[in-house]
Amino acid sequence: MGRGAWARGLLAAAVAAGAGRPAPAQAVPLAFLPPRLGGDVSYTLTETRTGGEATSARSLVGTVRARTRGVYRAPWFATLDAEVALSLIRASSDESENTGEAVTGRLGLDVFPQSRFPFRLVAERRDTRTEQDATATQDTVITRLEVQQQYATPDQRTRLSGLAWTQVTEEAVEGDEDVERVVELTWQRSLETQSLGATLSLDRTRRRNTGERDEDTLLQAHHLWRPAESRWSVTTQGNAGREETVTEEGGVAVLRFREVRQLTVAAIRQAVREQPLTLTLSGRVHDTELGTDGETLTTGGFALLGGARYQPEGPWTVTGFVSAVRNEDDGSTRDENSQSVDVDYSPAALELGPWRYSWNAGTGLGRRDPGFGDAVFEERLSLGHALRRAFATSRDSRLELSLTQRGSVLGRQGGGTDVRGQELDSTEWTLLHHAGLGWVQERAPLRRSVNLSLSDSRTITGGDEEEFFQQGNLQLAFGRGLAAGRGLSGSLTLQATRQRDEETGRVTTDTSSSGSVTYTDGRFLGVGGMRFSSTLSLASEELVPALPKEGEDNTLSWENRLDYRIGRLDTQARLTYSERSDAEGTWVFFFTVRRSFGAL
């Protein structure tokens, strides 16, 4: 046996072992499936008219495609997918007319796709002139090249995704070129046992556009420790990253960067029925640097948090919370801390005939030290109740009524004012009322619904300063199925709000209304494969859209769409009209027809 044959046999055996497949007894040459040929011809027309000005654009595109799939030795060894297309384009508008051609395609190569070290190469070229997109505003050629290599150890605990290089080039048919290059390296190591889990990953990304370069590096670590037969679990998570951006400003390269480092440790004790106490302890340390060439701003600090929740079987719930936070901002330091405890009582709802009544109450104490001025002591008390009833008005309709009332009082004791200028020695009363009424009827093929909600919220501070927010909302909706796949649906929403501004004391009233009606026909004019839809939408800042005030923002839109497909022929037509109260209406007509052929 010659050296060449011996080396080829050894390589085939090694490749088969790495891919988890037995070595082939006989080498299979590179083979391609018979290529499939196909293509399409499409015509697109767009007409736009605003006021007395009209513009139009037309394009005729003919495309021939060829697609094939190749296999080298075996599908587990290497596969190749290729597609190439040649398009002839004739485009014209009111200002210009041009004829050209476009070569597009895609090539995908996978080596050892089922192994622990798959390799992938993708090359793609697109041209927006060959794509049916009514919203495209510029003709662009997009080229993408991607190379990716992955690796995993036999136990699957260590993974490497590296050499992932991607380049995307966007080049206007008549204009500049924009290039973006991305190089990304990801390494991940995981360890899992019955009580231990850990993950370590590294990501590095590099992007380069015309006149700009970005580089991102991120290191992440996650560790979970859960002892056997214990309700405690400890989680540790850390990350460190750096982001760099280099831009050209006035012919000079300017560097901007951001570095973030953070470490968080959290311990949680889960509650069980015998011991209904949940404990949470966590700590976080963070540090951030922002800067440019020669200038750096550093911020950081730490936070210690603790919480407890005791919820036995019954209506009582007790929660407590403590925190200590230090913030460091470019040399200055500020310490904050707070403590609070709350008790809630929520008994089971009472069934009073057809009515369902529920109530709850709560109280709490707290202390806050914002790091400047005096500490603030808080006392909280709340009480709320709700009444609900649902009853049938007929065999196919029902009515639901809900009434809710909630009040709370918050007392503060401290010196001076807070950051909003509010007196720390004050008592704040809040009262909320809400009423909701809903009606639904489902009588095939008709469905109707009406929902009305009214709410009033008032806050009194210092005895005479009152803030309030009132809202009324009415929603109507219907849907009706018609014969032969047709349907009609619509909705209407009316809303009004009234509130007192916290800073100026002014009372403002806002109103709005919106509605839409949609008609659909899945077999338009009795023709199979033809679908039509029409939607009329209106939005206004007035409750009565027919009586708009001067200066109000009102919008009107009407969209009609017709789709027809028979065999290989696809046709779409859209006619839309949109209008705003401060601008002239715009008509847009879009039509496209596409005929495909071949075996694709």
Side-chain angles (χ1 to χ4, degrees), residues 4 8 31 59 87 130 134 140 150 152 202 212 235 286 301 489 554 589:
R8 288 192 297 271
S59 66
S87 302
T130 65
T140 307
Q150 298 182 3
L202 173 66
E212 183 174 326
T235 302
H286 63 95
S489 61
N554 305 313
F589 175 72

Side-chain angles (χ1 to χ4, degrees), residues 289-527:
E289 290 187 11
L290 303 172
T292 58
D293 295 328
E295 297 183 4
T296 303
L297 175 63
T298 303
T299 61
F302 68 85
L304 300 177
L305 309 175
R309 180 182 180 88
Y310 180 71
Q311 189 174 15
E313 293 185 0
W316 294 95
T317 302
V318 182
T319 58
F321 179 78
V322 295
S323 68
V325 180
R326 166 168 288 186
N327 294 313
E328 299 177 354
D329 188 355
D330 202 21
S332 62
T333 302
R334 183 164 61 92
D335 295 328
E336 305 176 23
N337 60 80
S338 63
Q339 306 85 34
S340 65
V341 59
D342 293 276
V343 180
D344 293 315
Y345 181 77
S346 299
L350 302 177
E351 302 293 341
L352 306 176
W355 296 90
R356 182 181 179 87
Y357 178 77
S358 60
W359 68 281
N360 62 347
T363 183
L365 299 173
R367 178 185 180 275
R368 293 186 298 109
D369 186 354
F372 56 88
D374 299 331
V376 181
F377 296 88
E378 296 180 346
E379 300 174 352
R380 296 178 292 272
L381 179 64
S382 63
L383 178 65
H385 59 141
L387 189 64
R388 293 178 175 85
R389 181 178 179 180
F391 47 90
T393 56
S394 63
R395 273 192 319 176
D396 49 23
S397 63
R398 64 184 184 274
L399 187 66
E400 297 181 359
L401 174 65
S402 64
L403 302 172
T404 305
Q405 185 181 48
R406 186 173 185 83
S408 64
V409 57
L410 173 62
R412 301 187 186 92
Q413 295 181 4
T417 59
D418 60 11
V419 294
R420 297 177 302 172
Q422 194 172 31
E423 294 288 342
L424 296 180
D425 286 330
S426 62
T427 302
E428 181 178 289
W429 299 80
T430 301
L431 188 61
L432 171 66
H433 295 85
H434 180 271
L437 181 64
W439 176 77
V440 177
Q441 183 186 51
E442 296 182 358
R443 180 185 300 169
L446 177 64
R447 186 183 191 279
R448 294 180 292 182
S449 65
V450 179
N451 291 279
L452 173 65
S453 65
L454 302 173
S455 63
D456 180 273
S457 176
R458 295 178 180 272
T459 301
I460 302 175
T461 305
D464 56 355
E465 297 181 6
E466 183 182 42
E467 301 171 6
F468 63 85
F469 179 81
Q470 299 170 330
Q471 177 177 286
N473 184 279
L474 176 63
Q475 296 181 355
L476 300 92
F478 78 95
R480 183 180 182 87
L482 306 177
R486 292 175 295 167
L488 185 66
S489 61
S491 64
L492 176 64
T493 300
L494 307 177
Q495 180 172 291
T497 61
R498 183 172 179 265
Q499 62 181 337
R500 182 178 186 269
D501 189 85
E502 181 180 357
E503 297 181 357
T504 63
R506 292 178 52 194
V507 177
T508 58
T509 301
D510 296 319
T511 59
S512 64
S513 61
S514 62
S516 64
V517 178
T518 301
Y519 171 78
T520 58
D521 191 345
R523 191 179 176 87
F524 188 60
L525 299 179
V527 179

